[in-house]
Amino acid sequence: MLAEETSTACLHCLQPVLENEAFCCSGCEMVYGILNQQGLGDYYQYRGQIELLRAPAPVREARESLDWANSLTERELNFYLEGVHCSACVWLVEKLPTLLADVEEAHLNLGTQLLQLKLTADGDLKAALQRLQTWGYRARLIRQPLERETFARQAHFWQLCRLGVAAFGAGNLMILSVALYAGLNGRLIVYFEWLSLLLALPVLIFSAWPFYWQAWLQLRYRQRVSVDLPIAISLWLGTLGSIYSLLTSQHELYLDSLSMLVFLLLLSRYTLQRTQQALVRHDLFHYLYQPQTLARLEGDQFKQSPFEAIQVGDCVRLEVAERIPLDAEVLSGKSWVDQAILTGESQALPVSPGSLVFAGSINQDQPLIVSVRAIGQQTRLAQIIEKARNYQQEKSRLLSITDQVARYFVSAVLLTAAGLGIALWATPALAISRILALVIVACPCALALATPLIIQISLKTALAKGFFVQNAESFEQLQKVKMVVFDKTGTLTEGRFQVLKTEGLDSESKRALWALESESNHPIARTLRHYLLASGPMLLAEVTELQSLVGGGLSACIQGVNWRVQPRGQFSRLSEGPLAQVCLDIFCDGSLRATLYLGDSLKAEAAETVATLQAAGLAIYLLSGDQADACLQVAHALGIPESQVLYCQSPEAKAQFLEQHPLAMMVGDGINDLQALSKARVGVSVQGSAEENLQLADVFLADSLKALPAFFRHARLTRRLLYSALTFSLLYNLVAVSAAIGGYISPLVAAIVMPISALTVFLLALWGGQRLCRF
Amino acid sequence: MSILILFVPMAIGISLVFLLAFIWAARQRQFEDLETPAHRILFDD
């Protein structure tokens, strides 16, 4: 273990470490020890071989009590596992059965992060979950209604069947058609034609069913016309026309082209769907902050009862370091509560009897006895999310360019067909064959094929670069963005309370500070302890006469000397870094020894990102709930004009601002920005875990703010690809339609041109995808 | 050339076997997780 002492990366997590340190933190050291102890050192070997498959997302710090696990009697359970990111994780998690006698089978799906756990008859679920927790994974039980899961599985099965039948039919038809086009004659023509029909009917009825169904729904409910309608029309007319020509021996069959089209369309849609599903699972959000059980007062003692049974007015106990799952009023107990998720405020707030606590915040200090005010959909958190979801739905009604083109396209083709019918009224047979050729050849192949393919490739490469794109339309919307609105806390700044600057802090005063703060649970004391530990091991000194001072601060006698820590009321903020919020003086025997400044600090990449975006001609705004001076200082440090800084904004005011500025992109973090994110044309979220953020933001940048300019480039390239595919498609159709009107399209030409156009579009998309990967 | 009347259906019949094999595999849920097995095979045990 000490052999790699010279390395600069943590042995466990590969983050950079201080010189001569093997680990970045004691947590990593512990996990490393546990793994080696249990003979699982191979983990590091596997991890080393294979690159990360998904960006590592931090698991939320709140530690869950696992008592609920004992109340479950099922032996086969599904979990959503947070913190899984590479194949070494698969290896480790699937080792569970060999390590624990409680587990019979463990099966992890890396794509969806779903873990199937099968326990032995008397296996202890809690033990298994605890083991996962020590490894740094967090398992969330999925209690999906059984019918829904079976339904999804069935749907997937039928989808695959449709695809398989289409591949079978189209492949065989191609072979038969070659013979027909090559000039087969005599009796065999009729035989081959009937065989073609036999092969094509399952494809055109069974496989193509989703297109007919979508088209029917669009007509029935007068929804916006999508590309499905022209496809359905082409398929129907093509099939009926082919059967008609078969019966009248005209030898004009389009069955092979149509079947191939169905196959390619199904294939591109299927792959797109798989990519999107791997990205996010909406149905899991419901469970995100919900514990399985909660300690409820029954009679005169607290009993664990299922969360579903908790009602408004109940008296429950909220444990330390857990997410509070409901809105409540504190009855007894004093604690600090971190409400960052709701307010964006980086400093924890004190709560005492009478104060309100809200779902989503974390109880940091001591257990609280509370009376429940609101549960589930009634909590403030749920309402914020609900509101944001509604906005999001409104937004998705914006027409995407493909659908817009499809809409005009359908009307144009139908009008031309009608015109052709009127013009050739005198010769019905000719009119029918021309109209048929027109409709088939004009099928928006490229449109329907290329768009999903390009979007799928783009989403996939985006994922590899650390952009989780939830809403593929943001690629298009990004073009219209003229301004970028940043949230301050947690987006441009670290969002964490930390020591920014020290004056005169020597080893003696450090030791005194450690001694003074080691007992306190105040958030500032924690920050200080963290800071002191990072600078080296701390020895415990003998402390007597420890007392809290009026107006904040502590004093004590340490090894016979009187030390005192006191916050300074007034200090010049400007000179002490942009975001200093607290200034602490350390006195020794009444004379000032050292001064510490604490506060939030700017992210290292913030200045560069803002400068790059400004250089690209975007207006940068700062929108924050924080006080004026803090905002202005940040703006000043980043070169944002003062006229574009808005401070003291409530979440509602932020949302309103974005509503008034429809060309804005919002960059924020966490739930407190959700309303604004969902109102923005494009909402980007930059902090926390993908699971949390992807629910409502359009885009989540896993790495850092620095990826923002790269995301703009990625979107631009995607758009360019989409437009070139559209242009190609329209050009092709223009030529083909004119030829069809003129009567130059014979079945042979149609059969050659249609696959070629499909193939061209495919290649175009793949080539473009390569370029997307490379830049 | 009349032999085609026999051979073509035979060829189609063979490909039908593959179609059924595919449907069987889909029924067995072999297409639900396409990512993890590729990594699992690298582990020694």
Side-chain angles (χ1 to χ4, degrees), chain A residues 46 87 91 94-95 108-111 153 160 168 172 191 274, chain B residues 5 9 15-16 22 29 31-33 35-36 40 43-45:
Chain A
Y46 289 125
S87 52
W91 180 80
E94 294 190 348
K95 274 279 174 210
L108 177 67
N109 183 329
L110 194 53
R153 192 161 286 153
L160 282 171
F168 165 76
N172 283 305
Y191 176 62
R274 294 268 328 200
Chain B
I5 293 179
S15 57
L16 201 63
F22 174 76
R29 291 159 55 186
F31 297 95
E32 282 191 11
D33 183 3
E35 206 177 338
T36 327
R40 212 172 274 140
F43 305 145
D44 291 331
D45 37 39

PDB file of all heavy atoms in Angstrom, chain A residues 46 87 91 94-95 108-111 153 160 168 172 191 274, chain B residues 5 9 15-16 22 29 31-33 35-36 40 43-45:
ATOM      1  N   TYR A  46      -9.412  -3.962 -11.985  1.00  0.00           N
ATOM      2  CA  TYR A  46     -10.449  -3.801 -12.996  1.00  0.00           C
ATOM      3  C   TYR A  46     -10.704  -2.342 -13.287  1.00  0.00           C
ATOM      4  O   TYR A  46     -10.955  -1.950 -14.413  1.00  0.00           O
ATOM      5  CB  TYR A  46     -11.754  -4.463 -12.543  1.00  0.00           C
ATOM      6  CG  TYR A  46     -11.650  -5.961 -12.558  1.00  0.00           C
ATOM      7  CD1 TYR A  46     -11.925  -6.708 -11.428  1.00  0.00           C
ATOM      8  CD2 TYR A  46     -11.254  -6.614 -13.703  1.00  0.00           C
ATOM      9  CE1 TYR A  46     -11.819  -8.070 -11.434  1.00  0.00           C
ATOM     10  CE2 TYR A  46     -11.142  -7.983 -13.723  1.00  0.00           C
ATOM     11  CZ  TYR A  46     -11.427  -8.718 -12.588  1.00  0.00           C
ATOM     12  OH  TYR A  46     -11.309 -10.060 -12.607  1.00  0.00           O
ATOM     13  N   SER A  87     -17.079  -0.404 -14.656  1.00  0.00           N
ATOM     14  CA  SER A  87     -17.280  -1.841 -14.594  1.00  0.00           C
ATOM     15  C   SER A  87     -16.735  -2.430 -13.301  1.00  0.00           C
ATOM     16  O   SER A  87     -17.162  -3.497 -12.871  1.00  0.00           O
ATOM     17  CB  SER A  87     -16.632  -2.507 -15.801  1.00  0.00           C
ATOM     18  OG  SER A  87     -15.301  -2.089 -15.892  1.00  0.00           O
ATOM     19  N   TRP A  91     -18.365  -5.403 -10.832  1.00  0.00           N
ATOM     20  CA  TRP A  91     -17.618  -6.507 -10.250  1.00  0.00           C
ATOM     21  C   TRP A  91     -17.822  -6.553  -8.735  1.00  0.00           C
ATOM     22  O   TRP A  91     -18.120  -7.581  -8.159  1.00  0.00           O
ATOM     23  CB  TRP A  91     -16.141  -6.334 -10.598  1.00  0.00           C
ATOM     24  CG  TRP A  91     -15.275  -7.401 -10.052  1.00  0.00           C
ATOM     25  CD1 TRP A  91     -15.095  -8.655 -10.572  1.00  0.00           C
ATOM     26  CD2 TRP A  91     -14.475  -7.344  -8.878  1.00  0.00           C
ATOM     27  NE1 TRP A  91     -14.231  -9.361  -9.787  1.00  0.00           N
ATOM     28  CE2 TRP A  91     -13.837  -8.586  -8.745  1.00  0.00           C
ATOM     29  CE3 TRP A  91     -14.235  -6.353  -7.932  1.00  0.00           C
ATOM     30  CZ2 TRP A  91     -12.973  -8.870  -7.700  1.00  0.00           C
ATOM     31  CZ3 TRP A  91     -13.373  -6.634  -6.900  1.00  0.00           C
ATOM     32  CH2 TRP A  91     -12.746  -7.882  -6.780  1.00  0.00           C
ATOM     33  N   GLU A  94     -21.499  -7.301  -7.602  1.00  0.00           N
ATOM     34  CA  GLU A  94     -21.901  -8.688  -7.854  1.00  0.00           C
ATOM     35  C   GLU A  94     -21.079  -9.685  -7.041  1.00  0.00           C
ATOM     36  O   GLU A  94     -21.307 -10.887  -7.100  1.00  0.00           O
ATOM     37  CB  GLU A  94     -21.834  -8.974  -9.361  1.00  0.00           C
ATOM     38  CG  GLU A  94     -22.878  -8.149 -10.103  1.00  0.00           C
ATOM     39  CD  GLU A  94     -23.048  -8.521 -11.549  1.00  0.00           C
ATOM     40  OE1 GLU A  94     -22.217  -9.274 -12.066  1.00  0.00           O
ATOM     41  OE2 GLU A  94     -24.033  -8.053 -12.153  1.00  0.00           O
ATOM     42  N   LYS A  95     -20.135  -9.174  -6.257  1.00  0.00           N
ATOM     43  CA  LYS A  95     -19.399 -10.011  -5.308  1.00  0.00           C
ATOM     44  C   LYS A  95     -20.217 -10.282  -4.044  1.00  0.00           C
ATOM     45  O   LYS A  95     -19.819 -11.099  -3.212  1.00  0.00           O
ATOM     46  CB  LYS A  95     -18.107  -9.305  -4.898  1.00  0.00           C
ATOM     47  CG  LYS A  95     -16.967  -9.562  -5.838  1.00  0.00           C
ATOM     48  CD  LYS A  95     -16.334 -10.897  -5.550  1.00  0.00           C
ATOM     49  CE  LYS A  95     -15.286 -11.194  -6.590  1.00  0.00           C
ATOM     50  NZ  LYS A  95     -15.118 -12.598  -6.831  1.00  0.00           N
ATOM     51  N   LEU A 108     -26.386  -6.461 -11.450  1.00  0.00           N
ATOM     52  CA  LEU A 108     -26.408  -5.011 -11.640  1.00  0.00           C
ATOM     53  C   LEU A 108     -26.420  -4.676 -13.126  1.00  0.00           C
ATOM     54  O   LEU A 108     -25.630  -5.212 -13.893  1.00  0.00           O
ATOM     55  CB  LEU A 108     -25.179  -4.389 -10.974  1.00  0.00           C
ATOM     56  CG  LEU A 108     -25.012  -2.885 -11.131  1.00  0.00           C
ATOM     57  CD1 LEU A 108     -26.117  -2.151 -10.401  1.00  0.00           C
ATOM     58  CD2 LEU A 108     -23.663  -2.441 -10.605  1.00  0.00           C
ATOM     59  N   ASN A 109     -27.321  -3.800 -13.489  1.00  0.00           N
ATOM     60  CA  ASN A 109     -27.355  -3.288 -14.858  1.00  0.00           C
ATOM     61  C   ASN A 109     -26.661  -1.933 -14.877  1.00  0.00           C
ATOM     62  O   ASN A 109     -27.133  -0.975 -14.271  1.00  0.00           O
ATOM     63  CB  ASN A 109     -28.810  -3.157 -15.316  1.00  0.00           C
ATOM     64  CG  ASN A 109     -28.906  -2.692 -16.744  1.00  0.00           C
ATOM     65  OD1 ASN A 109     -28.061  -1.951 -17.231  1.00  0.00           O
ATOM     66  ND2 ASN A 109     -29.944  -3.131 -17.421  1.00  0.00           N
ATOM     67  N   LEU A 110     -25.550  -1.868 -15.572  1.00  0.00           N
ATOM     68  CA  LEU A 110     -24.744  -0.655 -15.551  1.00  0.00           C
ATOM     69  C   LEU A 110     -25.446   0.506 -16.249  1.00  0.00           C
ATOM     70  O   LEU A 110     -25.314   1.653 -15.852  1.00  0.00           O
ATOM     71  CB  LEU A 110     -23.412  -0.961 -16.249  1.00  0.00           C
ATOM     72  CG  LEU A 110     -22.275   0.021 -16.071  1.00  0.00           C
ATOM     73  CD1 LEU A 110     -22.023   0.280 -14.615  1.00  0.00           C
ATOM     74  CD2 LEU A 110     -21.035  -0.528 -16.724  1.00  0.00           C
ATOM     75  N   GLY A 111     -26.198   0.190 -17.290  1.00  0.00           N
ATOM     76  CA  GLY A 111     -26.860   1.249 -18.049  1.00  0.00           C
ATOM     77  C   GLY A 111     -27.933   1.949 -17.250  1.00  0.00           C
ATOM     78  O   GLY A 111     -28.002   3.168 -17.209  1.00  0.00           O
ATOM     79  N   ARG A 153     -42.103  -4.184 -19.848  1.00  0.00           N
ATOM     80  CA  ARG A 153     -41.359  -5.317 -20.391  1.00  0.00           C
ATOM     81  C   ARG A 153     -42.051  -5.869 -21.632  1.00  0.00           C
ATOM     82  O   ARG A 153     -41.437  -6.176 -22.636  1.00  0.00           O
ATOM     83  CB  ARG A 153     -41.244  -6.382 -19.308  1.00  0.00           C
ATOM     84  CG  ARG A 153     -40.271  -7.458 -19.644  1.00  0.00           C
ATOM     85  CD  ARG A 153     -39.848  -8.204 -18.408  1.00  0.00           C
ATOM     86  NE  ARG A 153     -38.941  -7.422 -17.594  1.00  0.00           N
ATOM     87  CZ  ARG A 153     -38.820  -7.567 -16.283  1.00  0.00           C
ATOM     88  NH1 ARG A 153     -39.565  -8.430 -15.652  1.00  0.00           N
ATOM     89  NH2 ARG A 153     -37.965  -6.839 -15.614  1.00  0.00           N
ATOM     90  N   LEU A 160     -39.317  -5.319 -30.055  1.00  0.00           N
ATOM     91  CA  LEU A 160     -38.274  -6.160 -30.646  1.00  0.00           C
ATOM     92  C   LEU A 160     -38.861  -7.098 -31.696  1.00  0.00           C
ATOM     93  O   LEU A 160     -38.266  -7.318 -32.753  1.00  0.00           O
ATOM     94  CB  LEU A 160     -37.567  -6.967 -29.562  1.00  0.00           C
ATOM     95  CG  LEU A 160     -36.530  -6.207 -28.742  1.00  0.00           C
ATOM     96  CD1 LEU A 160     -36.059  -7.036 -27.572  1.00  0.00           C
ATOM     97  CD2 LEU A 160     -35.362  -5.807 -29.624  1.00  0.00           C
ATOM     98  N   PHE A 168     -36.690  -9.463 -41.109  1.00  0.00           N
ATOM     99  CA  PHE A 168     -36.912 -10.708 -41.836  1.00  0.00           C
ATOM    100  C   PHE A 168     -37.606 -10.442 -43.169  1.00  0.00           C
ATOM    101  O   PHE A 168     -37.140 -10.857 -44.235  1.00  0.00           O
ATOM    102  CB  PHE A 168     -37.752 -11.639 -40.948  1.00  0.00           C
ATOM    103  CG  PHE A 168     -38.348 -12.800 -41.667  1.00  0.00           C
ATOM    104  CD1 PHE A 168     -37.572 -13.889 -42.031  1.00  0.00           C
ATOM    105  CD2 PHE A 168     -39.710 -12.814 -41.970  1.00  0.00           C
ATOM    106  CE1 PHE A 168     -38.135 -14.964 -42.676  1.00  0.00           C
ATOM    107  CE2 PHE A 168     -40.275 -13.883 -42.624  1.00  0.00           C
ATOM    108  CZ  PHE A 168     -39.488 -14.971 -42.985  1.00  0.00           C
ATOM    109  N   ASN A 172     -35.650 -10.589 -47.016  1.00  0.00           N
ATOM    110  CA  ASN A 172     -36.063 -11.570 -48.018  1.00  0.00           C
ATOM    111  C   ASN A 172     -36.680 -10.913 -49.247  1.00  0.00           C
ATOM    112  O   ASN A 172     -36.477 -11.363 -50.379  1.00  0.00           O
ATOM    113  CB  ASN A 172     -37.042 -12.569 -47.410  1.00  0.00           C
ATOM    114  CG  ASN A 172     -36.319 -13.583 -46.558  1.00  0.00           C
ATOM    115  OD1 ASN A 172     -35.405 -14.243 -47.027  1.00  0.00           O
ATOM    116  ND2 ASN A 172     -36.699 -13.677 -45.296  1.00  0.00           N
ATOM    117  N   TYR A 191     -45.515 -15.853 -59.425  1.00  0.00           N
ATOM    118  CA  TYR A 191     -45.175 -16.594 -58.212  1.00  0.00           C
ATOM    119  C   TYR A 191     -44.378 -15.728 -57.246  1.00  0.00           C
ATOM    120  O   TYR A 191     -44.698 -15.612 -56.051  1.00  0.00           O
ATOM    121  CB  TYR A 191     -44.364 -17.828 -58.615  1.00  0.00           C
ATOM    122  CG  TYR A 191     -43.857 -18.648 -57.465  1.00  0.00           C
ATOM    123  CD1 TYR A 191     -44.753 -19.269 -56.577  1.00  0.00           C
ATOM    124  CD2 TYR A 191     -42.501 -18.828 -57.265  1.00  0.00           C
ATOM    125  CE1 TYR A 191     -44.275 -20.032 -55.532  1.00  0.00           C
ATOM    126  CE2 TYR A 191     -42.017 -19.591 -56.229  1.00  0.00           C
ATOM    127  CZ  TYR A 191     -42.910 -20.190 -55.359  1.00  0.00           C
ATOM    128  OH  TYR A 191     -42.449 -20.950 -54.328  1.00  0.00           O
ATOM    129  N   ARG A 274     -33.590   3.770 -26.726  1.00  0.00           N
ATOM    130  CA  ARG A 274     -32.677   3.131 -25.766  1.00  0.00           C
ATOM    131  C   ARG A 274     -31.713   4.139 -25.177  1.00  0.00           C
ATOM    132  O   ARG A 274     -31.427   4.119 -23.993  1.00  0.00           O
ATOM    133  CB  ARG A 274     -31.872   2.007 -26.431  1.00  0.00           C
ATOM    134  CG  ARG A 274     -32.671   0.852 -26.879  1.00  0.00           C
ATOM    135  CD  ARG A 274     -32.849  -0.282 -25.960  1.00  0.00           C
ATOM    136  NE  ARG A 274     -31.848  -0.657 -25.016  1.00  0.00           N
ATOM    137  CZ  ARG A 274     -31.831  -1.865 -24.475  1.00  0.00           C
ATOM    138  NH1 ARG A 274     -32.703  -2.767 -24.865  1.00  0.00           N
ATOM    139  NH2 ARG A 274     -30.971  -2.164 -23.573  1.00  0.00           N
TER     140      ARG A 274
ATOM    141  N   ILE B   5     -39.132 -22.599 -57.577  1.00  0.00           N
ATOM    142  CA  ILE B   5     -40.425 -22.717 -56.898  1.00  0.00           C
ATOM    143  C   ILE B   5     -40.256 -23.473 -55.598  1.00  0.00           C
ATOM    144  O   ILE B   5     -40.921 -23.208 -54.608  1.00  0.00           O
ATOM    145  CB  ILE B   5     -41.438 -23.405 -57.841  1.00  0.00           C
ATOM    146  CG1 ILE B   5     -41.713 -22.467 -59.022  1.00  0.00           C
ATOM    147  CG2 ILE B   5     -42.734 -23.739 -57.099  1.00  0.00           C
ATOM    148  CD1 ILE B   5     -42.662 -23.021 -60.036  1.00  0.00           C
ATOM    149  N   PRO B   9     -38.958 -20.902 -51.280  1.00  0.00           N
ATOM    150  CA  PRO B   9     -39.628 -21.107 -49.992  1.00  0.00           C
ATOM    151  C   PRO B   9     -38.723 -21.783 -48.963  1.00  0.00           C
ATOM    152  O   PRO B   9     -38.791 -21.466 -47.767  1.00  0.00           O
ATOM    153  CB  PRO B   9     -40.797 -22.037 -50.335  1.00  0.00           C
ATOM    154  CG  PRO B   9     -41.012 -21.845 -51.768  1.00  0.00           C
ATOM    155  CD  PRO B   9     -39.688 -21.562 -52.373  1.00  0.00           C
ATOM    156  N   SER B  15     -34.628 -18.751 -43.052  1.00  0.00           N
ATOM    157  CA  SER B  15     -34.531 -17.455 -42.383  1.00  0.00           C
ATOM    158  C   SER B  15     -35.625 -17.305 -41.332  1.00  0.00           C
ATOM    159  O   SER B  15     -35.451 -16.599 -40.340  1.00  0.00           O
ATOM    160  CB  SER B  15     -34.563 -16.301 -43.390  1.00  0.00           C
ATOM    161  OG  SER B  15     -35.728 -16.379 -44.164  1.00  0.00           O
ATOM    162  N   LEU B  16     -36.725 -17.994 -41.551  1.00  0.00           N
ATOM    163  CA  LEU B  16     -37.805 -17.967 -40.560  1.00  0.00           C
ATOM    164  C   LEU B  16     -37.330 -18.560 -39.232  1.00  0.00           C
ATOM    165  O   LEU B  16     -37.702 -18.081 -38.156  1.00  0.00           O
ATOM    166  CB  LEU B  16     -39.009 -18.754 -41.092  1.00  0.00           C
ATOM    167  CG  LEU B  16     -40.362 -18.440 -40.452  1.00  0.00           C
ATOM    168  CD1 LEU B  16     -40.753 -17.008 -40.710  1.00  0.00           C
ATOM    169  CD2 LEU B  16     -41.439 -19.378 -40.986  1.00  0.00           C
ATOM    170  N   PHE B  22     -34.643 -15.258 -32.825  1.00  0.00           N
ATOM    171  CA  PHE B  22     -34.568 -13.884 -32.324  1.00  0.00           C
ATOM    172  C   PHE B  22     -35.714 -13.600 -31.359  1.00  0.00           C
ATOM    173  O   PHE B  22     -35.518 -13.040 -30.280  1.00  0.00           O
ATOM    174  CB  PHE B  22     -34.601 -12.909 -33.499  1.00  0.00           C
ATOM    175  CG  PHE B  22     -34.678 -11.467 -33.094  1.00  0.00           C
ATOM    176  CD1 PHE B  22     -33.552 -10.811 -32.616  1.00  0.00           C
ATOM    177  CD2 PHE B  22     -35.874 -10.773 -33.179  1.00  0.00           C
ATOM    178  CE1 PHE B  22     -33.615  -9.484 -32.226  1.00  0.00           C
ATOM    179  CE2 PHE B  22     -35.944  -9.448 -32.789  1.00  0.00           C
ATOM    180  CZ  PHE B  22     -34.806  -8.808 -32.313  1.00  0.00           C
ATOM    181  N   ARG B  29     -35.477 -12.121 -22.499  1.00  0.00           N
ATOM    182  CA  ARG B  29     -34.994 -10.827 -22.020  1.00  0.00           C
ATOM    183  C   ARG B  29     -33.493 -10.667 -22.221  1.00  0.00           C
ATOM    184  O   ARG B  29     -32.804 -10.088 -21.384  1.00  0.00           O
ATOM    185  CB  ARG B  29     -35.365 -10.641 -20.558  1.00  0.00           C
ATOM    186  CG  ARG B  29     -36.850 -10.474 -20.395  1.00  0.00           C
ATOM    187  CD  ARG B  29     -37.344 -10.784 -19.030  1.00  0.00           C
ATOM    188  NE  ARG B  29     -36.645 -10.002 -18.014  1.00  0.00           N
ATOM    189  CZ  ARG B  29     -36.817 -10.166 -16.728  1.00  0.00           C
ATOM    190  NH1 ARG B  29     -37.666 -11.058 -16.287  1.00  0.00           N
ATOM    191  NH2 ARG B  29     -36.164  -9.440 -15.867  1.00  0.00           N
ATOM    192  N   PHE B  31     -32.188  -8.869 -24.455  1.00  0.00           N
ATOM    193  CA  PHE B  31     -31.862  -7.566 -25.014  1.00  0.00           C
ATOM    194  C   PHE B  31     -32.113  -6.427 -24.035  1.00  0.00           C
ATOM    195  O   PHE B  31     -32.111  -5.274 -24.418  1.00  0.00           O
ATOM    196  CB  PHE B  31     -32.673  -7.329 -26.296  1.00  0.00           C
ATOM    197  CG  PHE B  31     -32.348  -8.323 -27.365  1.00  0.00           C
ATOM    198  CD1 PHE B  31     -33.123  -9.456 -27.526  1.00  0.00           C
ATOM    199  CD2 PHE B  31     -31.261  -8.127 -28.190  1.00  0.00           C
ATOM    200  CE1 PHE B  31     -32.812 -10.382 -28.504  1.00  0.00           C
ATOM    201  CE2 PHE B  31     -30.947  -9.050 -29.162  1.00  0.00           C
ATOM    202  CZ  PHE B  31     -31.720 -10.183 -29.323  1.00  0.00           C
ATOM    203  N   GLU B  32     -32.374  -6.777 -22.784  1.00  0.00           N
ATOM    204  CA  GLU B  32     -32.694  -5.708 -21.841  1.00  0.00           C
ATOM    205  C   GLU B  32     -31.451  -5.006 -21.328  1.00  0.00           C
ATOM    206  O   GLU B  32     -31.461  -3.823 -21.056  1.00  0.00           O
ATOM    207  CB  GLU B  32     -33.528  -6.256 -20.690  1.00  0.00           C
ATOM    208  CG  GLU B  32     -34.951  -6.418 -21.160  1.00  0.00           C
ATOM    209  CD  GLU B  32     -35.925  -6.709 -20.073  1.00  0.00           C
ATOM    210  OE1 GLU B  32     -35.564  -6.602 -18.898  1.00  0.00           O
ATOM    211  OE2 GLU B  32     -37.048  -7.061 -20.419  1.00  0.00           O
ATOM    212  N   ASP B  33     -30.391  -5.715 -21.137  1.00  0.00           N
ATOM    213  CA  ASP B  33     -29.154  -5.091 -20.688  1.00  0.00           C
ATOM    214  C   ASP B  33     -28.052  -5.423 -21.687  1.00  0.00           C
ATOM    215  O   ASP B  33     -27.557  -6.533 -21.726  1.00  0.00           O
ATOM    216  CB  ASP B  33     -28.799  -5.609 -19.292  1.00  0.00           C
ATOM    217  CG  ASP B  33     -27.565  -4.931 -18.749  1.00  0.00           C
ATOM    218  OD1 ASP B  33     -27.047  -4.038 -19.443  1.00  0.00           O
ATOM    219  OD2 ASP B  33     -27.136  -5.284 -17.647  1.00  0.00           O
ATOM    220  N   GLU B  35     -25.251  -3.618 -21.957  1.00  0.00           N
ATOM    221  CA  GLU B  35     -23.992  -2.987 -21.584  1.00  0.00           C
ATOM    222  C   GLU B  35     -23.185  -3.841 -20.614  1.00  0.00           C
ATOM    223  O   GLU B  35     -22.009  -4.097 -20.820  1.00  0.00           O
ATOM    224  CB  GLU B  35     -24.304  -1.637 -20.946  1.00  0.00           C
ATOM    225  CG  GLU B  35     -23.195  -0.646 -21.071  1.00  0.00           C
ATOM    226  CD  GLU B  35     -23.614   0.688 -20.476  1.00  0.00           C
ATOM    227  OE1 GLU B  35     -24.831   0.945 -20.361  1.00  0.00           O
ATOM    228  OE2 GLU B  35     -22.739   1.448 -20.103  1.00  0.00           O
ATOM    229  N   THR B  36     -23.853  -4.274 -19.553  1.00  0.00           N
ATOM    230  CA  THR B  36     -23.120  -4.920 -18.468  1.00  0.00           C
ATOM    231  C   THR B  36     -22.448  -6.245 -18.867  1.00  0.00           C
ATOM    232  O   THR B  36     -21.307  -6.467 -18.459  1.00  0.00           O
ATOM    233  CB  THR B  36     -24.046  -5.144 -17.261  1.00  0.00           C
ATOM    234  OG1 THR B  36     -24.982  -4.075 -17.221  1.00  0.00           O
ATOM    235  CG2 THR B  36     -23.262  -5.161 -15.980  1.00  0.00           C
ATOM    236  N   ARG B  40     -18.826  -7.858 -17.758  1.00  0.00           N
ATOM    237  CA  ARG B  40     -18.802  -8.988 -16.840  1.00  0.00           C
ATOM    238  C   ARG B  40     -17.853 -10.078 -17.342  1.00  0.00           C
ATOM    239  O   ARG B  40     -17.213 -10.773 -16.576  1.00  0.00           O
ATOM    240  CB  ARG B  40     -20.226  -9.529 -16.697  1.00  0.00           C
ATOM    241  CG  ARG B  40     -20.501 -10.101 -15.329  1.00  0.00           C
ATOM    242  CD  ARG B  40     -21.952 -10.444 -15.182  1.00  0.00           C
ATOM    243  NE  ARG B  40     -22.738  -9.305 -14.740  1.00  0.00           N
ATOM    244  CZ  ARG B  40     -23.946  -9.020 -15.195  1.00  0.00           C
ATOM    245  NH1 ARG B  40     -24.498  -9.759 -16.116  1.00  0.00           N
ATOM    246  NH2 ARG B  40     -24.606  -7.985 -14.728  1.00  0.00           N
ATOM    247  N   PHE B  43     -14.196 -10.269 -16.070  1.00  0.00           N
ATOM    248  CA  PHE B  43     -13.819 -10.687 -14.722  1.00  0.00           C
ATOM    249  C   PHE B  43     -13.374 -12.148 -14.739  1.00  0.00           C
ATOM    250  O   PHE B  43     -13.927 -12.971 -15.457  1.00  0.00           O
ATOM    251  CB  PHE B  43     -14.988 -10.510 -13.766  1.00  0.00           C
ATOM    252  CG  PHE B  43     -15.539  -9.118 -13.765  1.00  0.00           C
ATOM    253  CD1 PHE B  43     -16.897  -8.890 -13.600  1.00  0.00           C
ATOM    254  CD2 PHE B  43     -14.708  -8.033 -13.956  1.00  0.00           C
ATOM    255  CE1 PHE B  43     -17.392  -7.609 -13.621  1.00  0.00           C
ATOM    256  CE2 PHE B  43     -15.199  -6.751 -13.975  1.00  0.00           C
ATOM    257  CZ  PHE B  43     -16.548  -6.535 -13.811  1.00  0.00           C
ATOM    258  N   ASP B  44     -12.410 -12.454 -13.891  1.00  0.00           N
ATOM    259  CA  ASP B  44     -11.798 -13.778 -13.947  1.00  0.00           C
ATOM    260  C   ASP B  44     -12.720 -14.906 -13.523  1.00  0.00           C
ATOM    261  O   ASP B  44     -12.701 -15.976 -14.093  1.00  0.00           O
ATOM    262  CB  ASP B  44     -10.546 -13.805 -13.066  1.00  0.00           C
ATOM    263  CG  ASP B  44      -9.463 -12.934 -13.671  1.00  0.00           C
ATOM    264  OD1 ASP B  44      -9.461 -12.811 -14.904  1.00  0.00           O
ATOM    265  OD2 ASP B  44      -8.650 -12.372 -12.927  1.00  0.00           O
ATOM    266  N   ASP B  45     -13.515 -14.651 -12.493  1.00  0.00           N
ATOM    267  CA  ASP B  45     -14.257 -15.788 -11.934  1.00  0.00           C
ATOM    268  C   ASP B  45     -15.603 -16.022 -12.600  1.00  0.00           C
ATOM    269  O   ASP B  45     -16.156 -15.164 -13.205  1.00  0.00           O
ATOM    270  CB  ASP B  45     -14.496 -15.576 -10.439  1.00  0.00           C
ATOM    271  CG  ASP B  45     -14.763 -14.138 -10.099  1.00  0.00           C
ATOM    272  OD1 ASP B  45     -15.484 -13.481 -10.907  1.00  0.00           O
ATOM    273  OD2 ASP B  45     -14.271 -13.632  -9.083  1.00  0.00           O
TER     274      ASP B  45
END
